[in-house]
Amino acid sequence: MKDCVFCSILEGAIPSERFYEDERFIVIKDIEPKANLHYLAIPKKHYKLLSEMTASERDDLGYIMSAISQIAPKLGLGGGYRLVINQGDDAGQTVFHLHIHILGGQKMDFPRL
Ligand code: AMP
Ligand code: ZN
């Protein structure tokens, strides 16, 4: 997708360290971390919003969440982590290529959910 920062990262046009990669998604570090450890899980397919995904594409999301749970200890998140998906302006979404924030490396007491 043209003018999409995450598509540019996936294509290698913007360099980034990949902490994990398989056929469906990559994991990179967030450039402006909001926790001691802040990764982004980015699907290789460009979806703007959850509401755009078809039934078969939704399968990608379940796969990615499950894979995150498997690789979490290798990312230094053995003590736990929080997953966040911002959707739309009210949530503060800034990059409209669906992604999952993976936050941890500390007690996640801000805010208390
Ligand atoms: P969101 O606000 O949910 O759309 O999240 C977008 C996230 O992408 C923000 O936390 C940004 O800090 C992060 N971000 C933007 N550009 C880059 C980049 N080039 N590399 C890594 N993270 C980025
Ligand atoms: Zn994209």
Side-chain angles (χ1 to χ4, degrees):
M1 181 69 66
K2 207 169 149 282
D3 298 330
C4 170
V5 64
F6 290 167
C7 282
S8 298
I9 285 172
L10 285 160
E11 286 158 12
I14 298 176
S16 70
E17 184 178 354
R18 297 182 183 200
F19 291 83
Y20 176 79
E21 174 168 17
D22 67 19
E23 68 282 359
R24 298 212 219 182
F25 76 110
I26 62 169
V27 175
I28 64 168
K29 278 211 166 143
D30 196 289
I31 205 170
E32 287 178 42
K34 284 88 180 175
N36 285 345
L37 290 173
H38 185 172
Y39 299 95
L40 299 171
I42 304 174
K44 289 193 170 175
K45 199 161 167 196
H46 179 102
Y47 314 105
K48 188 174 166 202
L49 292 164
L50 289 168
S51 56
E52 279 190 356
M53 298 175 105
T54 64
S56 67
E57 288 167 346
R58 269 178 239 144
D59 184 50
D60 264 355
L61 203 59
Y63 170 85
I64 291 169
M65 304 253 270
S66 178
I68 288 169
S69 75
Q70 299 299 308
I71 62 176
K74 292 189 201 108
L75 298 174
L77 299 166
Y81 53 89
R82 179 176 290 169
L83 303 181
V84 173
I85 304 178
N86 290 323
Q87 291 291 279
D89 287 339
D90 281 0
Q93 186 175 5
T94 56
V95 178
F96 286 84
H97 176 134
L98 188 83
H99 53 282
I100 304 174
H101 294 265
I102 310 169
L103 301 147
Q106 65 183 84
K107 291 282 182 204
M108 299 299 298
D109 51 5
F110 58 94
R112 231 213 208 285
L113 295 176

